[in-house]
């Protein structure tokens, strides 16, 4: 919610600085991970930028996570 958003922004500003303030924050239930548990940041960047996710997704643990992130439900 709004309180969580404000708390995160304040924490980032205090720990890193105003230049690192996030433009948007989304709370999600799951992230796109490989079978070995690594977060696939490239896919998160594509989704955040509104781009089609490209590249190799064969190592993705759960393809449904991408669909949910695009819909804003995850």
């Amino acid at each position: 919610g709004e309180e969580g958003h404000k708390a995160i922004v304040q924490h980032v500003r205090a720990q890193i600085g105003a230049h690192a303030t996030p433009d948007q924050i989304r709370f999600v239930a799951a992230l796109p991970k490989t079978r070995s548990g690594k977060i696939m940041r490239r896919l998160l960047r594509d989704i955040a930028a509104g781009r089609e996710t490209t590249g190799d997704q064969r190592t993705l643990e759960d393809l449904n996570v991408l669909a949910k992130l695009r819909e804003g439900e995850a």
Side-chain angles (χ1 to χ4, degrees):
E2 187 64 29
E3 284 183 27
H5 182 274
K6 286 180 183 179
I8 291 171
V9 168
Q10 288 173 351
H11 181 74
V12 169
R13 285 175 157 264
Q15 295 298 314
I16 303 172
H19 68 280
T21 303
D23 293 328
Q24 71 176 240
I25 299 170
R26 289 175 60 184
F27 298 95
V28 297
L31 294 171
K33 294 184 180 182
T34 63
R35 290 183 200 99
S36 62
K38 293 181 181 177
I39 296 171
M40 299 180 77
R41 289 175 178 82
R42 171 181 50 85
L43 298 178
L44 290 175
R45 281 190 293 271
D46 287 346
I47 290 169
R51 294 187 301 258
E52 192 64 33
T53 49
T54 59
D56 189 5
Q57 298 176 19
R58 290 178 294 174
T59 60
L60 188 60
E61 182 181 51
D62 182 0
L63 287 170
N64 294 322
V65 170
L66 288 181
K68 289 178 182 177
L69 285 172
R70 278 192 207 99
E71 296 167 6
E73 296 175 3

